[in-house]
Amino acid sequence: MKVRNSFLSLVLCTSIAVHALNPIVIKGHKFFDTVTKSQFFVKGVAYQPRSGDSADKDPLIDASACARDASLMAKIGMNVVRVYEVDPKVNHDACMKSFADNGIYLLLDIPTPTFSINRSNPQYDVAQYTAYMATIDAFSQYDNMLAFIAGNEVTNDKTNTEASPFVKAIIRDAKRYIKTTQRRKIPVGYASNDDSYIRDAIKDYFVCGEEDSQADFFGMNLYEWCGDSTFEKSGFADRTKEFENYSKPVFLSEYGCNLVTPRVFGEVSALYGPSMTQVWSGGVVYEWTQESNNYGLVKIDGSTGKVELLQDYTNLQNALAKVNPQGVSMDSVNEQRPTLACPPITDNWKASAELPPTPSEGTCECMQSNLACTTSQTLSDMAMISTSSTNSSIIGTQIDTLCGQVSCKDIESNGGTGSYGAYSFCSPVQKLGYLYNSYVQGNKASQCEFEGFAQQVQPKRNDIMKCSMIAPKMTSIHSSAGGPQKSNASLNHSKPWVSLATLSIGLILTRLLF
């Protein structure tokens, strides 16, 4: 009898699949659960543990840490983690399952320190595009993948607004890539700081223009509520007024001023109360672990993994326990707010509505194959195996020198004028080769030498005018295996299910045993 019971238990346990979190979608200017149709409010925390050698560590590869932290987050009512950097080449199933099992979704920044828009000298190239789409491929398979963030405070004041078109181009390309390669639509948006000179222009800029290039949501990193401030005194009332007619969901992508400690999180009652829930969809507390900046909810011993709950953790738990945001049903939302006009060019806002092209690796390879004078193999090899400042300086100096002698319009980008060259997204080495070739063609007496950094080659193609027409890659890295793979962490089912084959086997065995 004991054998029969054990065997039946095994059959039943293997027959029933795990609950999956219901995917979250956007309708109008709010988030909704696709199954319950209830409005979804973000109750999140920033999650990027860093200390010593792990400063740039992917936090979603440490299975034991994720299981530990997810449970502690769930205890205080968290339903979202915001992660700023991951490695798309490694497996994240265990961590994503831990968060899913605790009812927690992922809000993920797709740029990294290595692949991001430089606000001082913005460029959007093939390497960045490839890295961003690889991250989308790696995480779109999970049902608890809430949304992607295409940039965080890239334009942060009136001196670098020309960087915003490059971020908006990433949003356009990410949305297009998801639509083409993934099994469901996942929102892509932007997270901004709160700068008084540009706050109105930037919120409008990211949701203006064609739908394909609009951010699906807008996040604001807001730290104005400090200590025992109030809704009015903190400026939260003013920010809420500014977004009351916004056409997309808006939430606090970071909050939690620490000028007064321990933090009491008085803003929580406002954020999830009637003063703000008509406009805002919740927020993300900064941050989970205690670091040198003193924003942590918990302190983790790096050698033992032991967690110390700080007073901020308890205070946030108490604040969240007192709120119960009242939303609306998805079926009751019919309002479609009009698209905002793009902000005009002013002294404080200089971002063009014209966006950079989607980077095409095929275009760059085609251009390179048409050159008779290009970068030397030595310089190309150095650029591939090293990212040292010396190599960057050599290439940059050569480009700067040649741009004073030949036209560089084909390789340059300008987010202020909205002018982008046909090869503006190619690598620095490819751009330099193009300039070497242009110089030699315009100066027939010159040699393809350039202090040993160039070499003469036999062109493989003779159709450079066609290069710019080569479309960018829109194929998922999973496509060869039949599409994005569903992991055990988050199967695409809203209810527990039993496969027919397994159920049949279970019924047969039940009859045999009993």
Side-chain angles (χ1 to χ4, degrees), residues 176-446:
R176 185 182 300 164
Y177 187 82
I178 291 170
K179 182 178 180 180
T180 303
T181 66
Q182 306 302 325
R183 60 180 170 84
R184 69 179 177 95
K185 181 178 180 180
I186 301 174
V188 184
Y190 180 72
S192 177
N193 66 322
D194 181 39
D195 182 88
S196 60
Y197 288 101
I198 63 171
R199 64 163 66 108
D200 285 334
I202 197 167
K203 73 178 178 62
D204 293 350
Y205 182 80
F206 276 96
V207 298
C208 74
E210 297 296 324
E211 173 65 31
D212 288 349
S213 63
Q214 294 175 19
D216 292 319
F217 61 86
F218 189 83
M220 177 173 281
N221 301 338
L222 195 60
Y223 291 88
E224 294 179 356
W225 192 310
C226 302
D228 61 353
S229 191
T230 66
F231 180 58
E232 290 77 18
K233 189 165 62 175
S234 66
F236 273 47
D238 294 331
R239 303 293 83 77
T240 300
K241 180 72 174 176
E242 291 159 2
F243 281 101
E244 64 181 1
N245 294 313
Y246 208 59
S247 60
K248 305 288 185 179
V250 58
F251 60 90
L252 298 185
S253 39
E254 290 176 7
Y255 75 91
C257 171
N258 69 347
L259 294 181
V260 179
T261 57
R263 295 179 289 179
V264 294
F265 297 105
E267 63 266 51
V268 168
S269 62
L271 181 58
Y272 298 102
S275 297
M276 296 182 69
T277 51
Q278 295 300 311
V279 174
W280 301 85
S281 294
V284 177
V285 171
Y286 194 84
E287 64 180 316
W288 181 245
T289 55
Q290 181 73 309
E291 308 292 344
S292 59
N293 54 12
N294 198 35
Y295 279 94
L297 299 179
V298 304
K299 186 175 182 179
I300 299 177
D301 187 311
S303 58
T304 66
K306 184 178 179 180
V307 177
E308 176 188 353
L309 304 182
L310 302 179
Q311 189 61 46
D312 278 12
Y313 177 96
T314 302
N315 290 348
L316 180 61
Q317 182 179 30
N318 293 336
L320 287 170
K322 297 175 183 177
V323 299
N324 182 26
Q326 300 299 303
V328 299
S329 169
M330 182 175 175
D331 292 336
S332 69
V333 175
N334 296 310
E335 179 187 17
Q336 292 295 323
R337 294 179 175 178
T339 298
L340 297 173
C342 290
I345 302 299
T346 65
D347 289 343
N348 293 335
W349 188 260
K350 297 180 174 65
S352 171
E354 191 69 29
L355 306 182
T358 303
S360 168
E361 183 178 14
T363 291
C364 299
E365 291 174 347
C366 174
M367 176 268 284
Q368 198 169 25
S369 295
N370 274 275
L371 304 181
C373 179
T374 188
T375 50
S376 68
Q377 192 61 50
T378 299
L379 186 58
S380 296
D381 291 343
M382 288 171 59
M384 288 187 66
I385 64 175
S386 173
T387 57
S388 71
S389 58
T390 301
N391 293 338
S392 299
S393 177
I394 291 173
I395 296 172
T397 300
Q398 290 277 303
I399 289 177
D400 289 343
T401 300
L402 285 165
C403 280
Q405 302 176 53
V406 297
S407 173
C408 281
K409 66 180 181 63
D410 286 342
I411 66 165
E412 291 179 333
S413 297
N414 190 316
T417 62
S419 56
Y420 311 99
Y423 311 116
S424 58
F425 46 72
C426 298
S427 72
V429 168
Q430 290 169 328
K431 290 180 180 179
L432 181 57
Y434 182 77
L435 294 182
Y436 283 154
N437 193 73
S438 297
Y439 183 86
V440 171
Q441 284 186 336
N443 299 270
K444 299 300 183 183
S446 63

